[in-house]
Amino acid sequence: QVQLVESGGGLVQPGGSLRLSCTASGFTFSLYWMYWVRQAPGKGLEWVSAINIRGSSTYYADSVKGRFTISRDNDKDTLYLQMNNLTSEDTAVYYCAKDPSKPLSEVVGLQDFAFWGRGTQVTVAS
């Protein structure tokens, strides 16, 4: 069965960095686009970033463009999200996901993806 396991979250000060990882199993990782999404307290789901199957094309929400970098290692079945210059607005639970059922701009909840992990908490605070 499909499993996505996120790790790497934690507490970081404003301006700091974190690197999230998502280890995939149960499917052929190298054949799927992958996504990072996040949900902040009291807010709806926000797509953060997407990457194509080879990692040659990446996409970012305007809110993270220039600060976050998505990447993947198809040999290790692992998705990454390097987050730099973090702010309090980045505080959220971060999920990796696959198979969206609608355009990313219309995603409102995890149910809009076929699969997602349990998430990893990122807290940006001084």
Side-chain angles (χ1 to χ4, degrees), residues 6-69:
E6 303 92 340
S7 62
L11 174 64
V12 62
Q13 293 186 341
S17 298
L18 281 175
R19 188 194 196 201
L20 306 184
S21 299
C22 170
T23 302
S25 61
F27 65 102
T28 305
F29 179 75
S30 60
L31 296 182
Y32 289 86
W33 284 58
M34 294 296 297
Y35 305 85
W36 285 102
V37 298
R38 67 185 181 184
Q39 188 150 26
K43 295 186 178 181
L45 194 76
E46 178 188 20
W47 84 273
V48 173
S49 187
I51 189 167
N52 71 345
I53 60 175
R54 295 184 180 180
S56 56
S57 294
T58 57
Y59 304 87
Y60 300 93
D62 288 343
S63 58
V64 306
K65 200 172 294 183
R67 300 186 299 120
F68 289 14
T69 303

Side-chain angles (χ1 to χ4, degrees), residues 10-18 67-68 83-91 122-126:
L11 174 64
V12 62
Q13 293 186 341
S17 298
L18 281 175
R67 300 186 299 120
F68 289 14
M83 306 186 297
N84 298 329
N85 195 22
L86 287 160
T87 75
S88 59
E89 296 296 308
D90 298 315
T91 294
V122 172
T123 302
V124 185
S126 54

Side-chain angles (χ1 to χ4, degrees), residues 4-9 18-24 29 34-36 69-73 76-83 94-97 117-122:
L4 300 170
V5 180
E6 303 92 340
S7 62
L18 281 175
R19 188 194 196 201
L20 306 184
S21 299
C22 170
T23 302
F29 179 75
M34 294 296 297
Y35 305 85
W36 285 102
T69 303
I70 190 172
S71 62
R72 65 191 297 161
D73 186 334
K76 296 182 178 179
D77 292 348
T78 302
L79 178 71
Y80 302 100
L81 186 67
Q82 177 67 43
M83 306 186 297
Y94 285 72
Y95 301 89
C96 65
R118 291 189 175 184
T120 186
Q121 176 71 49
V122 172

